[in-house]
Amino acid sequence: MSTLDIRQIHKEYAADSIALSEFAFQMVLTPQQREERFAFFNEQESWGAYVDGKLAARLSILELHTWLHGKRFEMGGIAGVATWPEYRRGGLVTGLLHNALRVMKEQGQTLSFLHPFQFAFYRKFGWETYTDYMKYEIPTAMLPKLPLQTGSIVRVDEQIPLLNGIYRSYAVRYNGTLDRDEQWWKRRIFASKKGTAAVYRDVAGVPGGYVFYDVKDNICKIHEMIALNYEAEQALWKFIADHDSMMDKVTLQAPADNRLSFLLDNPRIKQELVPYFMARIVDVVSFLEQFPFAVADDLLGTGMRESELTLHIRDRHAEWNDGSFTIKIDAFGTAKVEKLQAGQNDLNELAVECDISTLSAMFMGYQRPEFLHSINRLQGSEESIRRLEALIPRRQTYLPDFF
């Protein structure tokens, strides 16, 4: 009988992990790339499932941070999930994911994101879609026709403090963006995406946006276009359009609520809404106590100090989330959450029920309570759904990164 052991992958065994990733993701690393992987191998983030002492499956738990309604949350990024073919369908990934949930909870990572190879597979474990992006392809002749803009645009090298300052001001406006650090810019942005960065400054010299792009084979690929206002957006598009002699078309990705086509003389460009990353609440109590609830209108001017709600959550993969919770939210939007004991009576009639994946999509802001209720993924009275609608702020989700 085979023995299964789940443990961290120590750096001296990094070659086994790298070889598995190469095979599973059909990569052929150069000697230099393999050396870099060894150099940056993080045994604290790397977990393996061993069968009879041999590495059979692996995944990484990245220590990341994300923005949610302008507040910074610790987040565990699940990446590099891979299994050797002879060990597949043996429950190894299930074991690794269960272990990952426990580890993330212990590390205070109340949220987890991942990029799914198959959405249905990870839904079984409580992750749910949390963001899409709009994918555009614009022929050069259909780019915005803009006059000379005010301010200035200057091409820059890897000026991370400058670019990250602009990016951070933009990222906090969305739910589910990453709070990037210097290493992320170096390894995940500049090392993996070739191109040029150009920064826009207004007439007062204040940075208002940047574009990071590459022109190759007559295609301008915009890796990122970050604009903090419409003035900056126009200036950046004028800058891109001035490359017209070098390109036939422009490609880019943007938030799902982007309205670029409306700004064009001819909006009939190729555009596609692409489902992208999934999210999961790892620890319901800690997450909800950090969550910035909206101040309910029915508290204002009434003298009431709290808004109450009860959640009945189903979570088959994290027992600490499975059960009933009372939530008391003060007039500042801060919650106090208590998990009820099994069989404990709850006198609060404002109760809703759902599974952990539905809860995750709802609190990330990807889907609203009323919609989830209409498709029978959220159960509760009309009053309880109305209360949830009032308590969960509205904000667009977006993730311009990949891991």
Side-chain angles (χ1 to χ4, degrees):
M1 184 176 178
S2 299
T3 58
L4 173 63
D5 181 26
I6 294 177
R7 62 179 187 268
Q8 287 177 317
I9 304 172
H10 293 296
K11 192 158 186 174
E12 57 262 37
Y13 302 110
D16 296 337
S17 178
I18 294 170
L20 174 51
S21 295
E22 276 191 276
F23 179 85
F25 301 111
Q26 302 176 48
M27 302 182 299
V28 179
L29 299 176
T30 65
Q32 182 182 350
Q33 289 172 326
R34 191 171 285 106
E35 243 181 73
E36 288 174 355
R37 294 225 170 190
F38 274 112
F40 287 104
F41 188 85
N42 187 335
E43 60 184 29
Q44 297 301 315
E45 296 178 343
S46 303
W47 290 85
Y50 290 82
V51 175
D52 296 334
K54 295 181 180 179
L55 180 65
R58 54 98 54 219
L59 63 70
S60 296
I61 307 173
L62 307 180
E63 296 183 16
L64 303 173
H65 295 87
T66 187
W67 296 107
L68 197 60
H69 300 293
K71 189 170 183 180
R72 189 173 182 261
F73 282 72
E74 292 188 49
M75 184 269 287
I78 302 296
V81 182
T83 310
W84 286 110
E86 60 268 31
Y87 295 107
R88 288 175 186 166
R89 297 174 181 83
L92 300 185
V93 171
T94 297
L96 283 170
L97 290 174
H98 285 172
N99 177 73
L101 288 169
R102 178 188 58 78
V103 170
M104 289 187 288
K105 181 178 186 297
E106 291 173 355
Q107 294 180 164
Q109 295 162 320
T110 60
L111 277 171
S112 175
F113 295 172
L114 59 78
H115 183 261
F117 76 95
Q118 187 182 87
F119 285 82
F121 177 82
Y122 285 104
R123 276 198 181 109
K124 295 185 298 184
F125 297 97
W127 278 264
E128 183 53 274
T129 314
Y130 93 83
T131 193
D132 313 313
Y133 64 81
M134 191 66 77
K135 183 178 180 180
Y136 291 109
E137 186 176 300
I138 313 172
T140 302
M142 297 173 70
L143 289 172
K145 305 297 189 294
L146 297 168
L148 186 66
Q149 300 294 302
T150 59
S152 62
I153 291 183
V154 177
R155 286 180 290 111
V156 299
D157 54 16
E158 298 179 10
Q159 295 184 31
I160 293 175
L162 170 61
L163 296 171
N164 194 52
I166 300 169
Y167 164 80
R168 204 169 194 258
S169 296
Y170 179 83
V172 296
R173 300 176 181 180
Y174 293 91
N175 284 351
T177 47
L178 297 187
D179 186 18
R180 298 173 179 169
D181 59 17
E182 184 176 0
Q183 282 303 310
W184 191 270
W185 277 95
K186 287 180 177 179
R187 297 188 57 213
R188 301 281 184 158
I189 308 297
F190 293 124
S192 63
K193 301 173 184 178
K194 304 304 179 185
T196 301
V199 171
Y200 166 77
R201 295 178 183 269
D202 64 19
V203 290
V206 178
Y210 69 81
V211 60
F212 180 39
Y213 71 104
D214 187 35
V215 182
K216 186 178 180 181
D217 299 327
N218 297 316
I219 298 173
C220 175
K221 182 176 183 179
I222 297 179
H223 302 304
E224 285 187 0
M225 182 181 284
I226 302 295
L228 301 183
N229 51 56
Y230 185 54
E231 175 187 304
E233 185 177 1
Q234 285 186 303
L236 291 170
W237 273 117
K238 176 69 167 64
F239 174 75
I240 290 296
D242 286 341
H243 292 67
D244 54 351
S245 65
M246 302 171 58
M247 62 192 188
D248 298 325
K249 63 181 179 181
V250 175
T251 64
L252 76 151
Q253 297 175 6
D257 66 345
N258 181 270
R259 296 293 180 264
L260 172 62
S261 61
F262 184 74
L263 303 176
L264 301 177
D265 292 337
N266 183 352
R268 289 177 174 166
I269 58 174
K270 185 176 179 181
Q271 48 190 304
E272 177 186 4
L273 186 66
V274 182
Y276 192 33
F277 259 67
M278 304 181 84
R280 190 197 205 280
I281 296 173
V282 173
D283 186 343
V284 166
V285 173
S286 294
F287 172 80
L288 292 178
E289 289 189 339
Q290 294 178 55
F291 187 83
F293 285 89
V295 177
D297 291 339
D298 55 6
L299 286 185
L300 299 176
T302 64
M304 294 175 61
R305 292 183 297 173
E306 291 182 332
S307 180
E308 293 190 19
L309 194 68
T310 298
L311 293 179
H312 302 299
I313 305 301
R314 302 184 300 276
D315 190 342
R316 297 189 299 111
H317 302 282
E319 70 277 1
W320 55 86
N321 294 332
D322 193 69
S324 298
F325 302 83
T326 59
I327 308 173
K328 295 182 179 180
I329 304 158
D330 66 22
F332 301 99
T334 302
K336 181 65 180 175
V337 183
E338 180 184 355
K339 186 175 184 180
L340 300 176
Q341 298 298 317
Q344 184 177 348
N345 290 328
D346 173 40
L347 301 178
N348 184 3
E349 296 179 356
L350 288 173
V352 295
E353 182 177 354
C354 64
D355 59 23
I356 191 68
S357 60
T358 300
L359 191 77
S360 301
M362 182 166 57
F363 274 87
M364 286 301 300
Y366 182 68
Q367 300 294 350
R368 298 300 302 176
E370 287 182 351
F371 171 72
L372 294 167
H373 183 249
S374 73
I375 62 171
N376 299 319
R377 285 191 57 173
L378 180 66
Q379 290 77 45
S381 66
E382 288 187 11
E383 174 60 21
S384 62
I385 302 303
R386 186 196 68 79
R387 178 64 59 89
L388 259 185
E389 279 285 351
L391 288 170
I392 300 177
R394 293 177 181 268
R395 189 167 294 202
Q396 178 66 41
T397 62
Y398 184 47
L399 179 65
D401 288 294
F402 177 83
F403 54 83

